């Protein structure tokens, strides 16, 4: 009961691994890009949110 | 700009905190009792309280700790942190109250119904269908309140803790609904919609992600909020927390099949589970380091502050169990750990260390804040810390030891090629470890009582601040993002988009794993000789489920020489197609039962269930005297057969009306044989007859195949 036994029945199956690899890479590249692209001052504002209670 | 004045409500966080600590103590106490029951079976008190036997108590313990202790811990943190992070009170106090009392009501229903034997037989999802529906309703109420709060916020940016809460909410909803598909047979009795391999896959997709999205991601949200607060400094790297979040939820959802390595689950699904589990090390450790590095330059504070002490050990335990988890997902390691005490040790590093200590730290920080005072005794808190740490070690080390010891004994062969040890020999040598583990658990629990004393004293010392005044500017309608901000801050400002994206991210993993197993026939090759259970066997199976036999007995023989020699032919996927629900189990405190059918005579089972040590000296199994008094519930046969056929089990149409005739006939046959061959007099309508019928059937169909 190898995966390949019924994978072979899907037409054009060879594209699937490529597609999934691309999906994964794109996902992580986007997250990484996003992470690095945030403005520094914005980061420092957001990360201080828990500390800034602003209650009297 | 005008500032709005508003009030943070502290009442619900206080309620949830009290519930969390109360249920925590109850859940852990049940765990300690269950641990002692394994070492001293007489503590099952089977003759007096059949409802308190290990098989029923253990699910109450696990459910109490997960959903009552940790659940209320999550809500404590959420109801405290979300308003403060978003600068707005919770949207509806009424929904908050419904959520609180609804959740506590569910917990009480769960405890009572599990002890009464109402269970679906699926680990950590044991609750029966009416309670499942209640959980769904309360979860929706909680979700509405949370999202309405987020939408009416006064802070445009959602802090990372809130992302974790959102993802947890949506994923738990998805898991709960998919895994709880069941067909009701009567009030408080249902059958899982899925069978065998598919049921196992859905169950462990659920089970693993319950760990991920109930015990981990919401607690990471708490870590990202309370750790910076306690250390009074921002998190080490906010950028890292972004990667932590997305990669964690992306990878976690795929890892479920690592609970089913070497079982009858298709190979590809097992490999997928392993691959993703290994990848999980990265985000998990990213998160752990992010937590620990937050304390860089502040380690002197850790020496003084019990809150930080608890947090440091909690985060360290998170790191340890998220390293251990991927290692356990390697097939060669899993061969040793699966079904053994290693898994038990692993989950307790997580539950006692990560969830327990993070909760304790949070409480030591929060309760003085809520009562506007200082902690009653820092010294007692430090004592609790050391006692708790000792408790964890004394719990875990004996379990690791016992796991390796039993593995080496189980796989030992004599030079003549025979198994060197009987199962019972292994049980006997691990009992001392069970005793040590129970002592470790007791010590941990004593720490909890010290905490309760300390917190009550703290509360008495101060005065409760029901409302905290705060002010903030409302969000302006027109918002122009700074020119240098990009799409990321766009997502982060849109909670619903974040919700949808989280759902898509976890949905992909779920679909890829579950759908092929359902749609592709080759995944579960059918075996012609495998037939549906007879009505009597079906009734016996339901008794097996009711008594929680699966808590100690697996029904899944892995393809290893030492397992095949001990238990018989390894299990095939096609053998379980009529098993609603599957009963593969996850722990072998007793031997595997996948080929128990025909191994012993009926009289053996008859005597064994009444007094296990009479047949297996040294056994730690509870006795089941009530099975000899209770009568088989013949009235339910009709609806059970009907429900089974609805799910595709091939009983002939109209069979339900005559099923009880077959049941009586088979029962009479067993009773007559017992009387004739063994001089045992028992009326054929007792439950013991049904359970014997079921046990004698398990795993025998495939033998018919080979005889042909």
């Amino acid at each position: 009961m190898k995966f390949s036994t019924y994978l072979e029945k899907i037409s054009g199956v060879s594209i699937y691994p490529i597609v999934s690899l691309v999906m994964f890479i794109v996902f992580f590249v986007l997250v990484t890009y996003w992470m690095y692209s945030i403005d520094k001052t914005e980061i420092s504002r957001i990360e201080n949110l828990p500390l800034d209670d602003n209650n009297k | 700009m005008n500032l709005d004045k508003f009030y943070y409500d502290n009442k619900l966080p206080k309620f949830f905190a009290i519930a969390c600590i109360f249920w925590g103590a109850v859940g852990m106490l049940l765990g300690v009792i269950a641990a002692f029951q394994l070492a001293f079976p007489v503590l099952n008190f089977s003759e007096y309280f059949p409802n308190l036997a290990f098989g029923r108590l253990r699910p109450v313990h696990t459910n109490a700790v997960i959903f009552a202790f940790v659940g209320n811990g999550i809500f404590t943190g959420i109801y405290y942190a979300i308003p403060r992070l978003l600068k707005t009170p919770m949207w509806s106090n009424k929904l908050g109250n419904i959520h609180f009392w609804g959740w506590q009501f569910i917990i009480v229903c769960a405890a009572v119904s599990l002890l009464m034997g109402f269970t679906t037989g699926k680990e950590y999802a044991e609750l029966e269908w009416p309670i499942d529906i209640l959980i769904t309703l309360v979860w929706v109420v909680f979700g509405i309140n949370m999202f309405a709060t987020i939408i009416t916020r006064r802070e445009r940016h959602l802090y990372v803790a809130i992302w974790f809460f959102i993802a947890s909410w949506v994923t738990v909803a998805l898991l709960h609904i998919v895994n709880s598909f069941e067909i009701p047979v009567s009030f408080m009795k249902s059958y899982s919609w899925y069978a065998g391999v598919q049921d196992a896959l859905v169950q462990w997709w659920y089970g693993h992600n319950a760990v991920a999205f109930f015990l981990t991601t919401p607690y990471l949200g708490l870590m990202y909020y309370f750790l910076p607060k306690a250390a009074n400094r921002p998190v080490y790297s906010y950028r890292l927390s972004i990667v932590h979040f997305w990669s964690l939820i992306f990878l976690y959802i795929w890892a479920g099949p690592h609970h089913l390595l070497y079982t009858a689950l298709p190979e590809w699904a097992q490999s997928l589970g392993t691959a993703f589990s290994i990848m999980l090390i990265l985000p998990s450790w990213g998160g752990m380091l992010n937590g620990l590095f937050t304390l860089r330059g502040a380690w002197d504070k850790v020496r003084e502050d019990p809150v930080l002490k608890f947090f440091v050990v909690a985060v360290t335990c998170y790191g340890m169990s998220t390293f251990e988890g991927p290692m356990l997902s390697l097939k060669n390691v899993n061969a040793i750990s699966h079904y053994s005490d290693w898994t038990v040790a692993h989950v307790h590093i997580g539950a006692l260390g990560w969830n327990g200590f993070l909760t304790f730290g949070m409480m030591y920080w929060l309760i003085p804040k809520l009562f506007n005072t200082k902690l009653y005794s820092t010294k007692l808190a430090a004592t609790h810390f050391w006692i708790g740490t000792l408790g964890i070690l004394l719990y875990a080390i004996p379990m690791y030891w016992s796991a390796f010891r039993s593995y080496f004994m189980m796989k030992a062969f004599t030079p003549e090629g025979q198994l060197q040890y009987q199962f019972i020999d292994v049980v006997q040598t691990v009992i001392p470890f069970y005793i040590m583990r129970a002592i470790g658990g007791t010590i941990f629990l004593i720490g909890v009582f010290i905490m309760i004393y300390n917190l009550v004293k703290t509360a008495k010392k101060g005065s409760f601040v029901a409302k905290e005044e705060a002010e903030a500017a409302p969000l302006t309608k027109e918002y122009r993002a700074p020119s240098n901000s990009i799409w990321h801050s766009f997502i982060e400002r849109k909670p619903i988009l974040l919700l949808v994206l989280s759902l898509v991210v976890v949905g992909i993993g779920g679909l890829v794993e579950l759908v092929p197993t359902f749609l592709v026939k080759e995944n579960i090759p059918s075996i012609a000789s495998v037939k549906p259970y007879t009505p009597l066997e079906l009734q016996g199976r339901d008794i097996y489920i009711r008594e929680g036999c699966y808590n100690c007995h697996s029904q899944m023989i892995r393809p290893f020489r030492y397992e095949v020699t001990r238990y018989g032919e390894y299990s095939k996927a096609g053998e379980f197609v009529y098993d609603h629900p599957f009963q593969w189990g996850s722990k072998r405190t007793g031997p595997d039962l996948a080929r128990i059918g025909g191994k012993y005579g009926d009289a053996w089972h008859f005597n064994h269930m009444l007094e296990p040590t009479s047949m297996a000296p040294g056994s730690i199994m509870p006795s089941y005297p009530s099975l000899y008094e209770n009568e088989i519930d013949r009235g339910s046969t009709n609806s059970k057969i009907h429900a089974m056929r609805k799910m595709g089990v091939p009983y002939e149409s109209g069979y339900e009306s005559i099923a009880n005739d077959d049941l009586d006939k088979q029962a009479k046959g067993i009773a007559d044989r017992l009387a004739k061959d063994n001089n045992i007099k028992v009326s054929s309508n007792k439950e013991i007859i049904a359970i014997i019928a079921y046990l004698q059937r398990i795993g025998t169909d495939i033998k018919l195949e080979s005889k042909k």
Side-chain angles (χ1 to χ4, degrees), chain A residues 1-3 5-6 9 23-24 27-28 30-43 45-56, chain B residues 8 85 87 155 157 159 225 228-229 233-235 238-239 242-243 246-247 250 268 276 468-471 484-489 492 505 520 522-523:
Chain A
M1 195 190 351
K2 292 277 174 215
F3 198 20
T5 49
Y6 51 82
K9 292 174 195 156
M23 263 168 60
F24 276 57
F27 181 84
F28 282 100
L30 283 181
V31 169
T32 314
Y33 170 67
W34 166 6
M35 174 187 85
Y36 279 111
S37 58
I38 311 169
D39 183 55
K40 229 182 186 160
T41 53
E42 200 169 301
I43 284 266
R45 209 184 78 72
I46 299 174
E47 70 184 9
N48 275 299
L49 282 176
L51 303 177
D52 161 36
D53 265 350
N54 190 27
N55 40 342
K56 301 228 154 153
Chain B
Y8 297 131
L85 286 171
K87 306 216 168 17
E155 164 60 52
H157 289 283
Y159 181 66
Y225 182 75
K229 273 208 110 60
R233 50 181 52 220
V235 66
Y238 195 78
R239 289 179 209 266
I242 295 173
V243 184
W246 286 106
S247 46
F250 188 86
W268 65 267
F276 277 87
E468 273 175 56
E469 196 186 308
E471 56 182 25
N484 52 357
S485 93
I486 42 146
W487 58 275
H488 117 261
S489 55
E492 190 213 307
V505 166
V520 184
E522 287 90 333
N523 265 322

Side-chain angles (χ1 to χ4, degrees), chain B residues 116-137:
Chain B
M116 286 173 73
F118 297 119
T119 170
T120 63
K122 292 170 75 163
E123 279 180 88
Y124 323 121
E126 281 104 343
L127 303 177
E128 266 300 349
W129 66 273
I131 306 180
D132 279 343
I133 292 173
L134 254 174
I135 294 172
T136 312
L137 294 178

Side-chain angles (χ1 to χ4, degrees), chain B residues 306-315 357-358 360-361 364 381 384-385:
Chain B
V307 174
L308 289 180
K309 278 185 198 167
F310 277 107
F311 283 166
V312 166
V313 171
V315 176
F357 270 33
L358 200 85
F360 303 153
Y364 281 123
H384 174 200
F385 170 77

Side-chain angles (χ1 to χ4, degrees), chain B residues 136-315:
Chain B
T136 312
L137 294 178
V138 172
W139 198 253
V140 169
V141 165
F142 162 50
I144 292 173
N145 203 9
M146 181 165 76
F147 281 100
T149 310
I150 294 174
I151 287 167
T152 56
R153 68 196 186 276
R154 291 194 182 82
E155 164 60 52
R156 201 169 299 273
H157 289 283
L158 301 177
Y159 181 66
V160 65
I162 296 173
W163 308 3
F164 276 104
F165 297 148
I166 291 176
S168 306
W169 182 83
V170 64
T171 314
V172 168
L174 176 77
L175 295 167
H176 175 69
I177 292 171
V178 173
N179 192 41
S180 297
F181 272 171
E182 51 213 358
I183 182 160
V185 174
S186 62
F187 180 62
M188 297 309 277
K189 172 74 196 165
S190 66
Y191 289 127
S192 171
W193 189 266
Y194 319 105
V197 173
Q198 292 158 351
D199 198 32
L201 184 60
V202 174
Q203 158 63 20
W204 285 112
W205 170 78
Y206 163 90
H208 174 75
N209 288 303
V211 173
F213 289 90
F214 207 89
L215 299 175
T216 308
T217 53
Y219 263 54
L220 286 169
L222 300 187
M223 177 190 90
Y224 276 118
Y225 182 75
F226 286 101
L227 185 60
K229 273 208 110 60
N232 199 24
R233 50 181 52 220
V235 66
Y236 167 67
S237 164
Y238 195 78
R239 289 179 209 266
L240 184 54
S241 73
I242 295 173
V243 184
H244 181 200
F245 174 79
W246 286 106
S247 46
L248 196 73
I249 67 165
F250 188 86
L251 298 177
Y252 239 139
I253 203 83
W254 298 73
H258 67 209
H259 290 259
L260 297 166
L261 299 180
Y262 283 117
T263 66
L265 186 76
E267 281 277 339
W268 65 267
Q270 297 186 26
S271 306
L272 209 58
T274 300
F276 277 87
S277 304
I278 300 298
M279 287 192 258
L280 263 173
I281 294 182
L282 287 172
S284 302
W285 273 51
M288 172 194 68
L289 294 176
N290 211 358
L292 287 182
F293 285 166
T294 301
L295 296 170
R296 78 205 178 286
W299 285 95
D300 52 310
K301 278 194 194 169
V302 178
R303 218 174 330 161
E304 323 266 289
D305 186 357
V307 174
L308 289 180
K309 278 185 198 167
F310 277 107
F311 283 166
V312 166
V313 171
V315 176

Side-chain angles (χ1 to χ4, degrees), chain B residues 364 375-377 380-381 450-458:
Chain B
Y364 281 123
L375 187 62
Y376 167 71
S377 166
L380 271 183
I450 294 176
M451 176 183 76
I452 293 174
Y453 172 78
N454 201 354
L455 293 181
V456 169
K457 281 282 190 188
T458 307

Side-chain angles (χ1 to χ4, degrees), chain B residues 287-518:
Chain B
M288 172 194 68
L289 294 176
N290 211 358
L292 287 182
F293 285 166
T294 301
L295 296 170
R296 78 205 178 286
W299 285 95
D300 52 310
K301 278 194 194 169
V302 178
R303 218 174 330 161
E304 323 266 289
D305 186 357
V307 174
L308 289 180
K309 278 185 198 167
F310 277 107
F311 283 166
V312 166
V313 171
V315 176
T316 310
C317 283
Y318 172 61
M320 278 165 37
S321 35
T322 52
F323 176 74
E324 190 182 20
M327 293 303 112
L328 294 176
S329 308
L330 296 169
K331 284 185 97 170
N332 50 351
V333 181
N334 193 271
I336 305 174
S337 75
H338 195 48
Y339 298 130
S340 85
D341 289 321
W342 191 343
T343 315
V344 183
H346 171 61
V347 297
H348 281 84
I349 294 285
L352 302 174
W354 164 240
N355 295 115
F357 270 33
L358 200 85
T359 312
F360 303 153
M362 178 175 84
M363 293 300 172
Y364 281 123
W365 184 88
L366 186 62
I367 300 292
K369 281 272 181 304
L370 293 181
F371 287 86
N372 193 24
T373 182
K374 286 225 155 29
L375 187 62
Y376 167 71
S377 166
T378 312
K379 215 170 159 193
L380 271 183
T383 313
H384 174 200
F385 170 77
W386 287 113
I387 285 187
T389 309
L390 183 73
I392 296 175
L393 292 176
L394 262 180
Y395 187 106
I397 294 168
M399 289 289 92
Y400 289 118
W401 198 318
S402 138
F404 277 92
R405 196 180 169 86
S406 27
Y407 170 70
F408 288 123
M409 287 180 78
M410 289 288 188
K411 70 181 281 254
F413 282 90
T414 60
E416 291 77 31
Q418 278 163 341
L419 287 167
Q420 194 171 349
Y421 299 102
Q422 297 292 312
F423 193 92
I424 203 75
D425 301 330
V426 183
V427 170
Q428 281 298 306
T429 75
V430 299
I431 286 180
F433 299 102
Y434 285 164
I435 298 174
M436 278 188 263
R437 177 264 295 269
I439 294 172
T442 311
I443 291 175
F444 191 87
L445 183 60
I446 291 172
V448 172
F449 284 117
I450 294 176
M451 176 183 76
I452 293 174
Y453 172 78
N454 201 354
L455 293 181
V456 169
K457 281 282 190 188
T458 307
K460 284 209 170 130
K461 200 172 77 154
S463 66
F464 178 59
V465 188
K467 284 177 172 175
E468 273 175 56
E469 196 186 308
E471 56 182 25
L475 288 187
T476 46
K477 280 265 180 312
E478 295 97 34
Y479 174 72
R480 196 171 289 236
S483 56
N484 52 357
S485 93
I486 42 146
W487 58 275
H488 117 261
S489 55
F490 174 76
I491 295 180
E492 190 213 307
R493 290 193 309 270
K494 304 257 185 248
I496 303 297
L497 185 64
L498 195 63
L499 170 91
V500 173
L501 278 180
S502 307
L503 187 63
V504 169
V505 166
V506 297
I508 296 173
L511 287 175
V512 171
E513 260 171 24
L514 300 182
V515 171
T517 324
F518 283 84

